[in-house]
Amino acid sequence: MGAWLSTTRPRSSSAADDAVDDATADNVVPAQTRIPLGSNPVVLLADADERIRQGLSAQLAKYQVSVVHCADGAAALLEAGLRKPDVLLVSADLPVIDGATVLRLVRRRLSIPVVLGVGPDDTAQVAPALAAGASACVARPYRPREVAQLLSLADRGSRGWDQPLVCGPLTLDPSTYEVRMHGMSTARLPLREFQLLHLLMLHAEKVITRDRIRAELWGEGARRSNTITVHIRRLRERLGDDPHHPEIIQTVRGVGYRLVPPSS
C-alpha cells in the first residue's frame, strides 16, 4: 500500500492538547464519528499491553466495531492472514516481531489499511512506517474516536471505495492509496486530503457542496469555518493546480467545489 496519509502527533492528555486544530492535524477525529452502517467492521489490534487491548475493545464496541486482539507481532501476522480484518492496528513496540516489520510483511500479502500506534518514545518510527506503507500513524494510548474514524479507510462497499478512479491524467487508487498525475506519483496526501480528492473524483464535473464535504469527511467535527478551505488549498498545491486561477479543483462561489479532469 503506497501509504499517502499523514500522522497524528503523540500527545499528552492535557486539555490544551485535546483542542488540536482540525486544519493542521489531518487525522484528528471529529466529535461525531461516522461508521459505515451494516458493514460490521473488524479491527485486529496487536498490542502487548492487555489494559490497552481490553480498554479499546470495550470503547469500540460502542461504535459497533468488533476487535480481535493479540499480544505480539507473530500472532498479528497469523491472525491477519486468517481473519483479513478491515483494519490492522499494530503498536510500534510489539514483542517477538516489531510493529514496523509486521507492517512491511502484511503489505506484501494484503491490501488492508495498516495503522501504526506510536508512543512518546516511538516518534522516530513515524517517517519509516509511512514510507513502508502505513496507512496512518496514531498516538498511543489510543483514542477510540481516532481508531473508529480510520475505519473509513475500509468502507469499500456503497461508495465503491476499492475501485480506481481516473479523471484524464489524474488517477487515484484506493487499494494502494496512490495518486498519480501524468503517470507520476504526487506528494504524499494526508488522510483527509486523500478522502477529499476521492470524493471530488468520484463525482467529477459535478458540484460538491461544502455542507456535503463537511458531512462526509468531518461530521460535526469541522469546528473552524476555514477547515475545508485549507484542505482544498493544500490539495491544489499537491496536484500542481494554480492557487489563484485553479483549473482542476474549481470553486463554485457560495456553493462548493467541482473537480474538472485536467487536460492530457
Side-chain angles (χ1 to χ4, degrees):
M1 180 177 292
W4 297 43
L5 310 174
S6 73
T7 171
T8 49
R9 296 169 292 183
R11 52 191 176 271
S12 70
S13 58
S14 69
D17 287 333
D18 288 344
V20 180
D21 181 5
D22 218 359
T24 57
D26 294 281
N27 286 345
V28 173
V29 177
Q32 300 296 326
T33 303
R34 301 176 65 252
I35 302 298
L37 295 178
S39 60
N40 298 315
V42 176
V43 172
L44 175 56
L45 171 62
D47 199 293
D49 191 324
E50 183 176 1
R51 292 175 300 177
I52 288 180
R53 298 198 308 269
Q54 297 293 345
L56 186 60
S57 297
Q59 290 295 320
L60 288 181
K62 300 176 182 178
Y63 296 86
Q64 298 182 327
V65 175
S66 299
V67 178
V68 176
H69 46 79
C70 49
D72 62 67
L77 290 173
L78 178 62
E79 292 291 342
L82 291 174
R83 298 178 182 269
K84 297 186 173 52
D86 294 291
V87 174
L88 172 58
L89 175 58
V90 53
S91 68
D93 61 346
L94 275 179
V96 184
I97 301 176
D98 64 84
T101 301
V102 170
L103 163 67
R104 288 193 296 270
L105 293 175
V106 169
R107 275 287 135 264
R108 295 175 186 173
R109 299 163 50 196
L110 301 172
S111 58
I112 61 172
V114 181
V115 179
L116 191 70
V118 181
D121 298 327
D122 304 320
T123 54
Q125 298 193 41
V126 170
L130 293 172
S135 301
C137 296
V138 295
R140 178 180 176 273
Y142 307 109
R143 291 183 176 178
R145 287 194 180 113
E146 288 186 349
V147 178
Q149 173 67 11
L150 290 169
L151 287 170
S152 64
L153 300 176
D155 182 12
R156 304 183 176 94
S158 60
R159 290 184 290 176
W161 179 257
D162 60 343
Q163 299 301 313
L165 299 177
V166 179
C167 293
L170 176 63
T171 63
L172 178 151
D173 190 344
S175 67
T176 61
Y177 290 90
E178 189 171 23
V179 176
R180 290 178 174 270
M181 178 71 80
H182 297 289
M184 301 295 293
S185 296
T186 67
R188 293 178 177 175
L189 267 63
L191 174 59
R192 290 285 169 76
E193 291 175 32
F194 191 93
Q195 293 173 323
L196 176 57
L197 180 60
H198 183 273
L199 178 64
L200 292 171
M201 290 181 66
L202 194 61
H203 303 281
E205 302 280 9
K206 297 180 180 179
V207 178
I208 306 298
T209 67
R210 291 177 64 88
D211 286 343
R212 179 173 179 180
I213 293 172
R214 182 177 294 107
E216 290 269 353
L217 272 63
W218 282 275
E220 300 300 323
R223 296 178 295 273
R224 289 175 172 264
S225 60
N226 69 337
T227 296
I228 295 174
T229 303
V230 169
H231 283 74
I232 288 288
R233 174 176 57 79
R234 291 176 178 172
L235 190 52
R236 283 170 172 160
E237 291 174 354
R238 299 181 199 280
L239 297 179
D241 204 6
D242 188 335
H244 303 292
H245 303 285
E247 296 182 355
I248 302 174
I249 302 177
Q250 300 179 356
T251 300
V252 180
R253 192 170 302 278
V255 181
Y257 302 92
R258 173 177 55 213
L259 185 140
V260 177
S263 58
S264 301

